[in-house]
Amino acid sequence: MTPQLLSGNEACAIGGLRAGVRFFAGYPITPSTEIAEYLARELPRVGGTYIQMEDEIGSICCISGATAAGLKAMTATSGPGFSLMQEGIGYSVMAELPCVIVNVMRGGPATGSPTRSAQADVMQARHGTHGDHPMVVVCPWSVRECFDLMVMAVNTSERLRMPVVVLTDEIVGHMRERVELPKTPETWRPANPKRPPETYEHYGDETNYDSRIASFGEGYRIHLTGLVHRHDGFPSDDPEVIKWNLDRLHRKVRDNESWLWDLTFEDLGADTVIVCYGSTARSALAAKRQFERKTGRTVGFLRLRMVWPFPLRRLVSLLRSTRRVIVPEMNMGQLNRSVERAVSPDVPVIPVLRYDGEMLTPEEIIDAL
Amino acid sequence: MTHYSLGDEPSDRFLDRFRLDERFPHILCPGCGIGTAMATLVRTLQELGRDPTKLCVVSGIGCSSRVPGYLDCDTFHTLHGRSLAAATGVKLARPDLEVIVFGGDGDTLAIGGNHFIHAARRNLDLNVFVINNRTYGMTGGQYSPTTPTHDIAATAPWGNCERDFDICFMARAAGAMFVARSTTYHVAHLKKMMKLTLTKTGFSVLEIVSQCPTLYGRHQRIGDGVAMLKWMKEKSVDVGKVKDPWGESERFVIGVLHDREEVLPYTKLYQQVREKAAGEQR
Ligand SMILES: Cc1ncc(C[n+]2csc(CCOP(=O)(O)OP(=O)(O)O)c2C)c(N)n1
């Protein structure tokens, strides 16, 4: 392994590739295009496919076709494109098709500030598509972590048979760091479908995520639909089936929360804890260090690598003795509301917000400490 | 299990292989032409000796798009308008599979119009069957991009003031290799056109003019399913009998309208990209 100087976007592309992604469909948009450009060059070299679709709606639907036919697939986009993808993301949730969507966040709404950074899609990533649905969203803060969480996203989406969003931003996407990336990261290697085509039911397996589901062209003759469906995949509007289907989608995530939740922390014994994610966590860590050096007082630091499903129960126990919480975000206040639910009402949760496209500085966070 | 026959002799066994009897009865209205198109598709696949395990039928949302749900092969009922985008993914991932796209005029030409144009331009090796019933059947008979001017629809109670598309003309302009039209009245002809569509390489489109007596025929006061079949018979003319097949606005010109010399389909071209990429450093 030789160290390389890479951007977060390149690391996302490499992470996908090394986790086994062999299909990319996308539409160019700043600040995510380097991911598409990297994969347009590298995918055909390994027998994979890159296709530039006519828009992001087409991209996400094209991906659902490729995954239904058995490939690991991903796309990369930013705000406006992410908005266009929402219906297709819901389809992948409903039909239980894996895929990874990288959203390199920029300022919004609408065309917003294409070349500026923001963390304003945290809520959209969770609730963007209609209907009750679970969502898995990871949020890297460094180039190396773009790679690691990309691998984790591919594995998780395959295992839980659902889309996973990798939420980065213009800062993380364009920042360059010296990294050494593993050539062959650990990937999920499932067993083949447990039953032969004659008795196979596409959604028959209730709790077990160790085998894969059948793909098109394997002789199983499966039916996939975005309608509420029964165990065998065929549509139904029977109230019992509707409830079973929705419960099933949510149960997959709920049952696996304990290994899904992913966060790092230090000094949680301190009175004040900074809860942060993504690029702002870099400023938050710098703020902690500078503040401690200057005042001699310790500040707690908790960084979410996975923002959804929100690790509420873990935060409740980790923040038991905390007297004050600071939540820095590059938006008008999105994740701080969820953090509020993890502490008792007398513990102030203080948002430190910046939404002018510039990075939140350590000084701004120190001011709140 | 009751054997429901689609307008054939009950002893018509050859339908069985591609059709899921346990999914019947279907959702279509009495007199609807979509069942005829489906039965003809099944019969065509049977006659061509196609293997159901090597076939994927993709659709969007609408009455026409429900067809895959009755077929015994890999079937993919996607989002409204997105069948061609999804089929693109399937075909690129598995170029060895035969991919059929089945959908309505709204699904394929309105909400899915952009995907239709670009799939044709890319010359993906797809077989696209568009049921043209001149209306949005599933949502209750609103006007579609193929509803003729002045026709009455649920959302055009005073007459449609928009112009309609010619699906075949559009397919040709966008780069389709093969374009044909038939109707659900001309069943033998329809089967012949389906066969041709399925044996052509590259982006192939078959427009199937079909009757929606419940929502289109009633609004236009044409009558029930039988009356609409007669209406389609009277309005159709064979492509060999017209001077300019693209200049007809009052009649359905049926037959092969466009059959160009084949060029390499997208999957073959992309294979060349792979070979080049594997051999060169960049
Ligand atoms: C995004 C979206 N918009 C609207 C609809 C509602 N919708 C369902 S089917 C349909 C039109 C169907 O018409 P067509 O494609 O012509 O097929 P037909 O039912 O006539 O066979 C519409 C508008 C939808 N399902 N999804």
Side-chain angles (χ1 to χ4, degrees):
Chain A
M1 263 189 306
T2 44
Q4 290 169 282
L5 188 65
L6 290 175
S7 70
N9 278 349
E10 286 167 323
C12 280
I14 298 170
L17 207 58
R18 295 198 186 158
V21 166
R22 288 297 174 269
F23 193 89
F24 180 100
Y27 189 82
I29 184 166
T30 306
S32 76
T33 17
E34 294 82 6
I35 301 177
E37 289 170 4
Y38 187 95
L39 291 170
R41 189 177 71 224
E42 297 302 325
L43 273 171
R45 282 194 176 147
V46 293
T49 305
Y50 167 90
I51 186 166
Q52 193 164 299
M53 292 297 286
E54 46 279 7
D55 57 31
E56 287 86 348
I57 304 177
S59 305
I60 189 82
C61 295
C62 185
I63 280 182
S64 67
T67 48
L71 292 186
K72 291 185 187 177
M74 67 177 280
T75 185
T77 189
S78 187
F82 194 54
S83 293
L84 286 181
M85 284 182 188
Q86 293 304 327
E87 193 193 8
I89 292 174
Y91 185 85
S92 296
V93 170
M94 197 56 160
E96 302 192 38
L97 292 169
C99 73
V100 175
I101 302 120
V102 184
N103 175 10
V104 187
M105 290 182 281
R106 65 191 226 180
T111 314
S113 328
T115 58
R116 297 283 190 171
S117 200
Q119 292 180 313
D121 303 348
V122 174
M123 283 301 171
Q124 192 196 14
R126 173 63 191 88
H127 296 291
T129 196
H130 62 281
D132 284 317
H133 64 279
M135 213 53 209
V136 176
V137 182
V138 293
C139 206
W141 78 331
S142 68
V143 172
R144 173 62 205 244
E145 208 170 82
C146 281
F147 177 89
D148 291 340
L149 289 184
M150 194 61 213
V151 173
M152 186 266 206
V154 173
N155 289 339
T156 304
S157 83
E158 289 285 313
R159 190 139 181 225
L160 299 188
R161 305 161 191 171
M162 62 182 290
V164 172
V165 175
V166 177
L167 205 55
T168 73
D169 60 42
E170 191 278 332
I171 295 166
V172 172
H174 284 163
M175 152 179 99
R176 287 184 173 270
E177 288 180 313
R178 210 175 106 99
V179 285
E180 286 184 38
L181 303 178
K183 278 263 162 330
T184 46
E186 215 172 291
T187 53
W188 186 60
R189 292 176 194 281
N192 280 333
K194 286 191 187 121
R195 297 211 220 164
E198 302 75 55
T199 54
Y200 179 76
E201 283 192 324
H202 202 63
Y203 305 100
D205 154 13
E206 288 281 352
T207 52
N208 207 330
Y209 308 109
D210 57 359
S211 67
R212 67 176 181 87
I213 41 176
S215 308
F216 291 150
E218 292 192 307
Y220 286 87
R221 286 178 278 172
I222 52 178
H223 181 68
L224 299 183
T225 177
L227 287 166
V228 162
H229 45 266
R230 314 178 307 200
H231 291 88
D232 60 3
F234 286 100
S236 166
D237 62 358
D238 178 338
E240 256 178 55
V241 177
I242 298 174
K243 184 170 184 312
W244 168 81
N245 198 166
L246 288 179
D247 282 342
R248 175 189 160 85
L249 299 178
H250 285 81
R251 200 179 325 112
K252 286 197 295 190
V253 173
R254 214 174 41 239
D255 286 358
N256 293 293
E257 264 174 1
S258 50
W259 65 263
L260 276 174
W261 285 341
D262 193 348
L263 47 82
T264 64
F265 53 83
E266 46 186 288
D267 301 327
L268 291 192
D271 281 352
T272 301
V273 174
I274 310 174
V275 176
C276 51
Y277 57 94
S279 62
T280 40
R282 301 175 75 90
S283 300
L285 189 61
K288 167 185 159 64
R289 303 259 191 267
Q290 286 172 28
F291 181 81
E292 287 171 348
R293 222 175 297 132
K294 240 188 290 178
T295 65
R297 279 187 289 143
T298 312
V299 178
F301 175 82
L302 189 153
R303 180 169 71 86
L304 302 171
R305 280 160 46 104
M306 170 169 287
V307 288
W308 306 113
F310 190 75
L312 187 63
R313 274 180 289 122
R314 287 226 52 205
L315 286 203
V316 167
S317 82
L318 288 171
L319 301 176
R320 285 187 305 282
S321 59
T322 307
R323 305 308 319 147
R324 222 164 133 251
V325 183
I326 310 283
V327 186
E329 297 186 75
M330 286 182 53
N331 55 44
M332 297 179 80
Q334 297 199 8
L335 210 67
N336 64 319
R337 307 283 162 86
S338 299
V339 178
E340 272 170 15
R341 293 170 57 212
V343 292
S344 67
D346 55 321
V347 174
V349 173
I350 304 158
V352 179
L353 308 175
R354 183 157 187 174
Y355 42 90
D356 62 354
E358 291 285 332
M359 189 171 186
L360 202 58
T361 62
E363 291 70 33
E364 285 168 288
I365 300 169
I366 289 171
D367 284 348
L369 290 172
Chain B
M1 182 65 48
T2 328
H3 184 96
Y4 291 88
S5 136
L6 291 165
D8 283 270
E9 299 293 307
S11 61
D12 195 354
R13 305 297 307 168
F14 63 70
L15 287 178
D16 292 352
R17 209 167 134 207
F18 284 97
R19 206 184 61 197
L20 284 171
D21 275 356
E22 71 261 30
R23 298 287 312 143
F24 282 64
H26 54 64
I27 62 154
L28 306 168
C29 305
C32 173
I34 297 170
T36 311
M38 170 162 76
T40 311
L41 174 64
V42 163
R43 223 171 279 134
T44 310
L45 291 167
Q46 184 70 30
E47 286 184 27
L48 287 172
R50 293 294 159 90
D51 176 358
T53 66
K54 290 274 172 279
L55 175 69
C56 184
V57 185
V58 187
S59 69
I61 298 292
C63 300
S64 316
S65 291
R66 283 302 189 101
V67 164
Y70 305 108
L71 301 178
D72 197 7
C73 55
D74 283 323
T75 47
F76 197 12
H77 184 228
T78 70
L79 291 170
H80 189 34
R82 313 303 167 200
S83 54
L84 276 155
T88 300
V90 175
K91 188 69 191 177
L92 292 177
R94 287 291 304 266
D96 59 313
L97 298 184
E98 172 112 63
V99 181
I100 292 175
V101 177
F102 208 96
D105 42 86
D107 191 66
T108 324
L109 273 302
I111 190 164
N114 203 22
H115 306 309
F116 182 83
I117 293 170
H118 290 281
R121 176 180 65 80
R122 289 188 189 104
N123 190 27
L124 279 146
D125 191 6
L126 301 174
N127 308 284
V128 187
F129 296 121
V130 189
I131 297 280
N132 182 5
N133 56 15
R134 298 179 155 194
T135 190
Y136 285 176
M138 181 68 93
T139 40
Q142 299 81 14
Y143 64 90
S144 93
T146 55
T147 308
T149 318
H150 307 310
D151 273 10
I152 303 297
T155 45
W158 312 111
N160 180 21
C161 68
E162 296 187 14
R163 289 189 297 169
D164 56 312
F165 265 148
D166 179 332
I167 297 174
C168 292
F169 190 68
M170 167 106 136
R172 186 184 80 150
M177 290 292 119
F178 177 85
V179 182
R181 186 187 286 118
S182 190
T183 86
T184 44
Y185 170 81
H186 304 84
V187 181
H189 181 265
L190 178 61
K191 191 164 76 184
K192 203 166 116 198
M193 292 301 118
M194 281 186 169
K195 260 189 195 162
L196 284 172
T197 310
L198 285 166
T199 43
K200 276 276 164 190
T201 314
F203 197 81
S204 312
V205 180
L206 176 61
E207 174 184 345
I208 304 166
V209 179
S210 175
Q211 76 276 22
C212 175
T214 313
L215 294 161
Y216 182 76
R218 188 166 51 86
H219 279 306
Q220 281 17 277
R221 299 182 191 281
I222 300 172
D224 64 2
V226 177
M228 283 204 77
L229 283 169
K230 284 187 185 140
W231 168 82
M232 288 192 309
K233 178 189 174 193
E234 279 154 22
K235 286 203 47 127
S236 296
V237 53
D238 192 85
V239 65
K241 300 207 174 91
V242 292
K243 267 224 304 281
D244 175 14
W246 307 107
E248 287 282 337
S249 58
E250 291 305 311
R251 293 187 294 180
F252 303 119
V253 179
I254 62 170
V256 177
L257 301 176
H258 177 64
D259 186 5
R260 63 170 282 186
E261 205 181 307
E262 281 172 11
V263 299
L264 279 187
Y266 189 92
T267 43
K268 293 258 163 59
L269 291 170
Y270 198 78
Q271 188 51 34
Q272 292 178 358
V273 170
R274 287 196 188 114
E275 281 154 23
K276 194 163 182 221
E280 271 177 43
Q281 283 304 317
R282 189 173 286 269

